[in-house]
Amino acid sequence: MKIRVALRQAMLAVTLALGAPLMAQDGGVPPLSAYGELTAIEDMVLSPSGERIAMLGTFGGKRMLVVADRQMKNLGNFTIGDSKVRGFDFVTEDLLMVHSSATGRLGPGFTQDKFEFYQAFLFSIDGRKTDQVFGGKADLVKATFGYYGTRLIEGRPHAYFGALEMKQRIGSRLEYEFDHGRPALYEVDLVSNGARRIAPSPPEGKDRDWLVGSDGTVLATLDNDENSGAWTLTSRGNVIAKGQSKTGGAWLISIGRGGKSVIYGTLDDATDSVSWYEVPTDGSSAPAEVFADEDVARIYTDGETGELIGYRKQGSDLAPVFFEESRSTRAKKIRRAFAGLNSSLVDWTSDFDHVLVRTDGNGDSGSYFNVDLAALKADPVGWERPAVAAAHVGQISTVSYTAGDGLELDGILTLPPGRQASDLPLVMLPHGGPHSQDTEGFDWWAQAFASRGYAVFQPNFRGSTNRDEAFVQAGYGEWGRKMQTDLSDGLAALAAKGVIDPKRVCIVGASYGGYAALAGVTLQQDLYRCAVSVAGVSDVSLMSRIENRDGAKVRRRSLERQLGPKERYKEISPRGHAAKADAPILLIHGRNDTVVDYDQSRKMADALKDAGKPYEFVELKGEDHWLSLGETRLAMLKAAVAFVEKHNPPN
């Protein structure tokens, strides 16, 4: 009890300290750049000792990776520019590893013309070392294809990556050319940047995955047949499990507690149910089901050993569950200290004495704290959107409602700051995925619309991950059907409560949400004044063909399981119903999108033009599916807000 009270008091002091930088910005409505640009702090991690913090963000107008001590003294920085950083971490106290990606073009003979290549770079804090993993290997593609963790071997850090091996060009000893796209497993000495193969690539038609043990050797190998779905799990050369799943195969999850078992997952073809199993690496007993009564959304593993140390349940409760009681107790204390906010544990030291916590929610546009549990102290170390003051954050709440078929649903409602929840114009904002979810946190897109006077509703329609696995599977085969009416049922519920004016609604979304936006004004009628689709799917048949271009039958069967019978794809594709569009449509798409093909928007634009329907089309040059670049992300937001304001004025 004393610890809890002391920690709450420490957090109260931090909250008061935060008032100065935030409230100094209070006044008029923040510009759209306050929401649409990349955040001032994008991410941060702790060093192994907890004495250093690495932060990715914009400092003095420059996007950099900065390393500081606990007193926030700058120890080193690296200019990042427009690089698409996907993650970074301390390898040692003095060495950082940064993962980034870049969109590259592929030559003739490949099944796709663009691919998102991932790379890993090493930076020493003193600036003396800057290396690219596989950068000096002529016989390897200068990219990584899967990251399998870092291990400390005889005092030296080693990392494990999938790598594509090149073959010698005929007639040349020095030149290499592409061979095949099946990665082998390589160990990289992170001090010397030397690399060696420790496991071969799979044969053609097989997909292979690995788990690396604490000693740096391959503990488990899983092979999936891409056509039959047959799979085999081996450890140290011995088969410890095998089976078949025509729609999902099997997948590795983690090393079990103690390092002497492997946890893997399978999909039952008959019931569509997912099960996890644990099996000893020595094969001394048969696989046993684990977490049978839990729907696990995320697992936590030990960074040094790869062993499972905890998990988070699927749903809106983000509280982690750790197997070590003291760690679980400390995590609960931290969450209680930040009660009322959406808080998450970003990083921590192995002893859990130092924890980085990120918060957002009502009155908080995104903040980072460095929590010292031994000293019962929490220091603010960064703000994501300092121009968005507490008073500018629209009120966020969860609204429960019932679908037309009786299914219980909910969604996140964001209200415009300073306005009563009565007769408001609405922006319907369904999430992407579709297997994802929205929670009571600060959403930059929702808050941007709210700042302009709109209520924003983000429905967790069937197929979302905010509930159990059965709720996810309730969305199978429901694209354009019940997944779509779940949105309009939410609209009706808000109208019945008097919160919104049902005659002043636009629908906006990205990826699957972009599909839902297009479907809302083509497959449905008389609901929305306008629709904005960002990187949305317009033709389900085209998406299916692109997804299945590698010919893998397991993937094709899995996609059909989620979408429903392919003979129905035409009737759920907005492109084929363009002539029925009953509201203006804005299409926005990044040219470098490798997830939803740019042609999805281009072909929808052509269909709308042929049908004589009002539309606009904005191309984001150089942008990918995730809106990774600050300039084009802001361009997207400005175009979307202007379009909604034109067709559905907030006043």
Side-chain angles (χ1 to χ4, degrees):
M1 182 62 70
K2 291 181 180 179
I3 293 177
R4 178 177 62 81
V5 172
L7 191 55
R8 280 182 178 273
Q9 291 172 340
M11 297 307 173
L12 179 59
V14 169
T15 302
L16 295 175
L18 279 175
L22 287 179
M23 294 307 292
Q25 303 291 331
D26 202 7
V29 177
L32 287 179
S33 59
Y35 304 90
E37 289 181 344
L38 298 180
T39 53
I41 297 293
E42 299 174 44
D43 199 3
M44 60 177 63
V45 296
L46 285 172
S47 68
S49 69
E51 295 300 317
R52 293 176 173 179
I53 302 175
M55 299 172 283
L56 174 64
T58 300
F59 305 90
K62 294 182 179 180
R63 190 162 175 257
M64 296 188 292
L65 184 62
V66 175
V67 180
D69 61 17
R70 289 186 62 79
Q71 287 70 47
M72 301 307 289
K73 177 183 177 182
N74 189 346
L75 303 177
N77 55 70
F78 313 92
T79 300
I80 298 298
D82 288 334
S83 297
K84 296 189 288 188
V85 176
R86 303 306 186 188
F88 57 97
D89 206 353
F90 280 94
V91 175
T92 67
E93 290 291 308
D94 303 308
L95 186 64
L96 285 165
M97 182 163 59
V98 178
H99 304 268
S100 67
S101 75
T103 309
R105 286 192 172 275
L106 302 175
F110 290 89
T111 57
Q112 58 193 99
D113 63 343
K114 292 180 181 178
F115 187 80
E116 196 73 10
F117 288 94
Y118 283 73
Q119 299 168 313
F121 297 88
L122 303 170
F123 298 98
S124 60
I125 294 175
D126 59 14
R128 296 179 183 177
K129 180 184 180 66
T130 302
D131 281 329
Q132 180 183 350
V133 171
F134 304 143
K137 298 280 290 181
D139 58 340
L140 297 177
V141 174
K142 292 177 175 55
T144 60
F145 298 84
Y147 172 52
Y148 297 89
T150 302
R151 304 287 182 264
L152 198 63
I153 310 300
E154 296 181 353
R156 291 171 70 93
H158 292 70
Y160 301 85
F161 298 96
L164 290 187
E165 298 172 322
M166 308 283 277
K167 64 180 179 182
Q168 273 190 330
R169 191 182 299 274
I170 297 175
S172 174
R173 292 183 177 181
L174 301 177
E175 295 182 308
Y176 292 83
E177 61 186 5
F178 180 79
D179 189 7
H180 58 74
R182 303 184 299 278
L185 182 62
Y186 272 69
E187 178 186 71
V188 179
D189 184 320
L190 297 179
V191 176
S192 67
N193 200 26
R196 69 181 185 95
R197 186 175 75 173
I198 63 171
S201 59
E204 187 174 359
K206 300 281 187 181
D207 178 72
R208 179 168 289 172
D209 198 8
W210 300 275
L211 289 174
V212 177
S214 59
D215 61 356
T217 63
V218 177
L219 181 66
T221 302
L222 178 67
D223 281 342
N224 275 289
D225 188 296
E226 296 177 341
N227 293 310
S228 69
W231 57 268
T232 304
L233 177 60
T234 60
S235 179
R236 314 297 192 192
N238 298 315
V239 176
I240 56 176
K242 60 182 179 179
Q244 183 176 24
S245 174
K246 293 182 178 181
T247 55
W251 57 94
L252 291 173
I253 295 170
S254 76
I255 299 172
R257 285 177 281 175
K260 296 182 179 180
S261 63
V262 173
I263 300 174
Y264 64 93
T266 64
L267 178 69
D268 188 294
D269 292 328
T271 64
D272 281 342
S273 60
V274 173
S275 299
W276 288 15
Y277 295 91
E278 186 170 11
V279 59
T281 54
D282 61 6
S284 57
S285 61
E289 188 172 1
V290 292
F291 302 115
D293 299 323
E294 303 281 4
D295 286 303
V296 178
R298 179 182 176 184
I299 62 168
Y300 301 99
T301 58
D302 188 294
E304 297 178 0
T305 67
E307 297 173 17
L308 186 68
I309 61 173
Y311 63 94
R312 179 172 62 79
K313 295 180 181 180
Q314 189 164 282
S316 56
D317 184 4
L318 302 180
V321 177
F322 291 102
F323 302 131
E324 185 179 314
E325 185 175 352
S326 62
R327 184 175 290 173
S328 191
T329 299
R330 289 184 171 194
K332 291 177 181 177
K333 288 178 180 177
I334 291 173
R335 284 182 58 80
R336 285 199 297 269
F338 291 101
L341 290 173
N342 178 35
S343 64
S344 59
L345 310 184
V346 176
D347 197 14
W348 53 79
T349 55
S350 59
D351 57 13
F352 224 70
D353 281 347
H354 301 284
V355 181
L356 282 177
V357 178
R358 179 191 175 277
T359 66
D360 68 350
N362 285 309
D364 185 351
S365 59
S367 308
Y368 284 89
F369 299 87
N370 190 359
V371 179
D372 184 337
L373 281 157
L376 298 178
K377 181 182 179 183
D379 295 319
V381 289
W383 297 271
E384 290 186 346
R385 301 186 184 277
V388 182
H392 297 143
V393 179
Q395 183 181 352
I396 311 160
S397 63
T398 299
V399 175
S400 298
Y401 66 102
T402 304
D405 64 354
L407 185 65
E408 295 298 318
L409 302 169
D410 64 56
I412 307 303
L413 177 65
T414 302
L415 297 175
R419 294 189 62 176
Q420 294 294 319
S422 176
D423 205 33
L424 294 169
L426 177 71
V427 171
M428 179 70 71
L429 188 63
H431 60 69
H435 305 311
S436 181
Q437 69 183 81
D438 284 309
T439 59
E440 287 188 21
F442 183 95
D443 183 291
W444 63 271
W445 207 0
Q447 291 286 340
F449 276 112
S451 74
R452 268 56 193 169
Y454 297 95
V456 181
F457 190 59
Q458 298 169 277
N460 285 315
F461 46 85
R462 70 192 70 202
S464 301
T465 56
N466 62 311
R467 302 195 180 195
D468 57 17
E469 185 63 27
F471 189 76
V472 173
Q473 293 180 19
Y476 289 176
E478 296 298 338
W479 280 50
R481 297 184 177 87
K482 290 182 180 180
M483 288 169 70
Q484 194 67 33
T485 55
D486 286 349
L487 313 186
S488 47
D489 287 341
L491 189 161
L494 291 174
K497 293 176 183 291
V499 175
I500 61 107
D501 179 352
K503 295 181 180 180
R504 293 194 294 158
V505 184
C506 281
I507 183 168
V508 179
S511 195
Y512 173 82
Y515 164 84
L518 294 175
V521 296
T522 56
L523 305 185
Q524 294 180 296
Q525 304 292 317
D526 302 322
L527 291 171
Y528 307 105
R529 283 190 171 186
C530 68
V532 179
S533 170
V534 181
V537 173
S538 68
D539 188 325
V540 178
S541 295
L542 175 61
M543 180 187 73
S544 176
R545 290 196 299 272
I546 292 174
E547 289 288 324
N548 293 321
R549 57 194 158 195
D550 63 359
K553 293 181 180 179
V554 168
R555 185 174 302 168
R556 186 185 70 232
R557 289 190 289 260
S558 176
L559 189 63
E560 290 179 5
R561 179 171 58 89
Q562 296 182 46
L563 293 175
K566 58 184 177 181
E567 57 268 20
R568 295 184 180 178
Y569 291 174
K570 186 175 181 179
E571 65 185 68
I572 60 171
S573 294
R575 177 190 173 194
H577 300 269
K580 296 180 181 179
D582 65 348
I585 294 173
L586 172 62
L587 301 162
I588 305 177
H589 216 124
R591 259 297 189 179
N592 284 350
D593 195 330
T594 58
V595 178
V596 175
D597 196 276
Y598 178 82
D599 270 358
Q600 289 281 357
S601 290
R602 184 183 64 81
K603 290 179 182 293
M604 185 68 191
D606 289 344
L608 291 168
K609 181 179 180 181
D610 291 344
K613 297 296 182 177
Y615 77 95
E616 296 178 28
F617 188 12
V618 175
E619 174 189 327
L620 301 177
K621 294 183 178 179
E623 186 56 278
D624 59 22
H625 187 71
W626 306 280
L627 299 172
S628 301
L629 305 177
E631 182 179 351
T632 42
R633 177 187 290 192
L634 179 57
M636 181 284 296
L637 182 61
K638 287 182 175 179
V641 170
F643 191 80
V644 171
E645 288 180 328
K646 175 182 177 181
H647 296 287
N648 188 29
N651 297 311

